[in-house]
Amino acid sequence: MTVEELVAAVVALAIVAAKRLGAGLADRAVEGVEQSVADRLGRLYRWIVGRLPGEEGAALVEEAGRSSAAQAQLRRRLVLALGEDPVGVEELRMLLSPHALALLSEPSGIPRQLPSALADFTGRGQEVARLVEAAERPGGCRVCLVHGPGGIGKTSVVVQASHQLMQFFPDGQLFVDLNGAEERPVAVGEVLGDFLAALGTPPGRIPDDVAGRTRQFRTELADRRVLIVLDNAATEQQVGALTPGGSSCVVLITSRQALATLAADERVALPGLDEDAAWDLLRRISGPDRVDEDPEAGRAVVGLCSGLPLALRIAGARLATFPARTLGSLARDLANDHRRLDVLSLGERSVRAVFRAGYEALPSLQRRAFRLLSALDAPDLPTWALSPLLDVAADAADACLEGLLLAHLVQTRRGETDGQRIVLHDLARGFSKEMAAEQSVGEADSAVWRLLGALLSAADAADAQLRPAGARHSGRDGVFRRSPPEDAVAGDVWEAVHWFEAERAVLVAAVAHAHARGWWELCWEITDAMSIALEHQWRWDISRQVHGLALDAADQLGDGQARAALLRNLGEALRDGGDDLDGAAECFSEAIALFRGSGDGHGESDALGNLGILQRQQGALREAERTLTAAELRFRALPLERGLAWTLRERAVISRHHARYTQAHAQLDEAQALFAANEEIRGIGWILRTRADTEKESTTGGCPLPHRWYGGPWPGCPATSRPAQDPRWAAARTHYEDAAQVLHAVRDHRGHTWVTLGLADMALYEGDHTAAELIRRALQETDACGDHRGHSRALTLQALLLAEANRLSDAITLAEQALATLRDHAGAAQAGFRLARLYGAASRHQDVLRTLQQSRTHYHAADIPFPALADPELAKSLTHPVSRARRFRRHQ
């Protein structure tokens, strides 16, 4: 035994001596059996007192019988006293006879009922520390509750903490499983009888009634320090009778219920294990070699067990029991939704049984709620969804949810906004689906139908805040709707942005569910309602996915108006995603024809405007201007101010490309006034960004190169200007910064990224070292969101920056890559001129001429001004080394 262990033992024996030497030992000493033990205890007591100065030792021993803090202090003082006294250590070893040590575990009156602590215990250090710290606090009887779902490891945590606390409770430790998860929990009177017997109460002195046993139990513990573990408690009433009234005991309780009204000093809600702890537990149980040889499958098993220790233990036991079974095959079996709970059953241990016990203890409404929460295959649901699912009032749904939370069958998390969301982890979801399968199909169908009607109503309200052209088309109001709670409806554009981000996955699941059930109207109307939000979020892949289902639904209905609306949306996703521009043009053209045939002027003008945007983005500026002019006339005739404002913005972009800057500003002024009058915040952000583009380009005349790169003449600008001295340049920066704030606030990622591109371009012109960070950010954002046009433009800026850093070869490679991916005349014209300049810096004369010819072709195709110089003369002005900016030299 170490010195610390010797001291712990002698302190415990000293407390026994102080409390029982004159009673139990004296009785037995008469028989001549324990006299030597009594003598040794007396010697131990005197030995302790002699090691501490004055009367301090006797007082501290006496206090140690009442206070864990005094016990700890006594142990520390003795360890220090023995630190430089090897003779004293040997004396202590001789004094601690086997007979004396046996007193610490004698059956008469000092129970030691704790189960063994798990050898493979892992991942709960913080929770165990909280329990230990709470139990060591000075004060009255301390009650600590650990609650969580079945299989989460509550008992293991409490037993682990109890073993750390044993030394502070020399009068024993009581443990009982109250069977709270079973149909018939253990009777309180029976537990009290067992506890009294363990504490040494003679059978004849144990009362027959519960009240009498409770009084006797509290009397027995009044002057004792006992640790009591009440495992698997059912109710507050059950544990209340088993809680002593004195000030020297600690009660640790575990329960699947939160026992909300229990007067607990410490509450620990036990979550699932995090990935690292779950991984460690699986390795410990199955053997580290089994897991380490296939870490990918191991991570899959960990994820599919949802952090539930019971599931991980069963999975690990399967691997350990069946050595021929591979970890990969176990992962595949667990990935099968229909087999997962079967696999997580071995011998008497079963995850399904744990869930069933909790489920069957619920009232009928809560059982139905638990079944229905998995009916829509969404990762989570807003808490208000329970009301339409159950077809009950919001108050009743809230009370039902509270019951499910207290039973730990569901969880909640805080969402993007202030609201909470209901979460079922994968194992609970699997069991929920099993329970739903035992009911009629009609129960789930009716519930989801109501929920989708409420989702559609909420999506309508949010869409109305975001829809840029106002009322886009007619025909989307024919299907069932259910009014959601007021706090679930977006009241302005900010709330609409947050609402669509929070509910995106739920809406996608709703579209898929509606299509699978043949609810064609719900399928296409929900898709149409979320289309603008998907554009804002750059979720073009999701948009293509749901619109494919919705178009099939429209065709099933034979609804031409629905098809027109969906084609318009799909065209936008294909255009902005950049991977099928021809398909986008076909979608817009068919949508225009269908809208026109049905007399839907709103839809026709909106589709025309979007076709014009596509043509403008392709650099077909003359064709785009004709299309946008037609859209403008229709918007003015309707009138539809928001649609007109967006069209004017597009026309201003074309005016800027054609160097008609005064006209561009006039168009932007009118558009901004319309957006302001209609409180279209996002539109104002785009106007600010376009105004900044216009001011920036009017300062440079549209020249794609800084003055230090190209000093030759440019149309409308006899020599490329030095922008820092021009007030328009400062105005551009201010407008970019204002636009960035607005577009970030409304979560318009695409608009915000193009602002970043504009600021990066300005920084490059100025020779500012911040260009590198801005370009890096623009590349990252455009790559993440699949904006091919924006990414190519960012690459051309990066190429110029590399050349400034004496990496000309890398710069040329990057600029060639950018030009190859650009499919619009305006972008290719600018990128080609920049590449020609890089070739010139490398003295690659033939490449300069070839690329200049290509650039000139794109400039003319887009009707953008280009220097009126012969190619050889223009090539000569581009063929000289790059002069680095002073500010770059200072910061790089």
Side-chain angles (χ1 to χ4, degrees), residues 21 40 58 76 161 166 178 249 320 350 446 557 570 604 697 877:
L21 192 57
R40 287 182 181 274
R76 286 194 298 269
M166 283 178 60
L178 295 173
C249 296
S350 168
S446 298
L557 291 168
L570 180 59
E604 181 188 357
E697 290 193 16
S877 68

Side-chain angles (χ1 to χ4, degrees), residues 269-282:
L270 210 58
L273 292 174
D274 62 33
E275 185 178 358
D276 290 341
W279 172 266
D280 186 38
L281 181 58
L282 184 65

Side-chain angles (χ1 to χ4, degrees), residues 3-12 15 52 60 64 67-82 136 164-170:
V3 173
E4 288 79 6
E5 290 171 334
L6 288 169
V7 168
V10 78
V11 169
I15 295 170
L52 299 175
L60 198 53
S67 165
S68 60
Q71 285 185 38
Q73 183 182 1
L74 179 58
R75 287 196 303 272
R76 286 194 298 269
R77 294 293 301 276
L78 288 174
V79 169
L80 288 172
L82 292 172
E136 290 180 342
Q164 294 187 25
L165 291 167
M166 283 178 60
Q167 58 184 317
F168 302 119
F169 297 92

Side-chain angles (χ1 to χ4, degrees), residues 451-487:
L451 174 59
L452 265 55
L455 280 168
L456 178 55
S457 293
D460 284 340
D463 180 50
Q465 300 295 333
L466 298 182
R467 195 174 289 277
R472 178 185 293 160
H473 54 76
S474 59
R476 183 159 66 76
D477 58 4
V479 75
F480 161 79
R481 282 165 169 76
R482 179 188 178 105
S483 297
E486 288 186 9
D487 58 359

Side-chain angles (χ1 to χ4, degrees), residues 158-285:
V158 165
V159 169
Q160 192 76 16
S162 298
H163 278 272
Q164 294 187 25
L165 291 167
M166 283 178 60
Q167 58 184 317
F168 302 119
F169 297 92
D171 294 325
Q173 302 88 41
L174 298 169
F175 181 94
V176 63
D177 182 354
L178 295 173
N179 289 339
E182 305 299 325
E183 184 176 353
R184 293 183 179 178
V186 175
V188 171
E190 180 182 339
V191 176
L192 286 169
D194 291 342
F195 278 179
L196 288 169
L199 290 168
T201 305
R205 290 179 54 202
I206 298 177
D208 294 329
D209 63 306
V210 173
R213 290 184 175 189
T214 300
R215 290 191 295 271
Q216 182 69 24
F217 177 62
R218 290 173 177 167
T219 299
E220 290 289 336
L221 293 182
D223 296 319
R224 302 194 201 184
R225 290 188 55 76
V226 175
L227 176 66
I228 303 166
V229 178
L230 305 178
D231 190 36
N232 199 7
T235 65
E236 293 90 334
Q237 291 75 20
Q238 186 186 39
V239 300
L242 301 173
T243 302
S247 61
S248 56
C249 296
V250 165
V251 183
L252 303 182
I253 305 167
T254 75
S255 179
R256 296 187 185 184
Q257 305 293 325
L259 304 184
T261 60
L262 178 70
D265 300 284
E266 186 75 20
R267 290 176 172 271
V268 178
L270 210 58
L273 292 174
D274 62 33
E275 185 178 358
D276 290 341
W279 172 266
D280 186 38
L281 181 58
L282 184 65
R283 290 179 77 251
R284 291 181 183 218
I285 296 170

Side-chain angles (χ1 to χ4, degrees), residues 10 101 103-104 119 218 232 280 323 350 422 424 490 533 589-590 601 611 623 702 743 745 785 790 812 878:
V10 78
L101 290 173
L103 283 176
L104 292 177
R218 290 173 177 167
N232 199 7
D280 186 38
S350 168
I422 307 172
L424 286 177
S589 298
E590 184 180 351
L611 177 60
E623 187 176 359
L743 295 172
C785 299
I812 289 173
L878 296 175

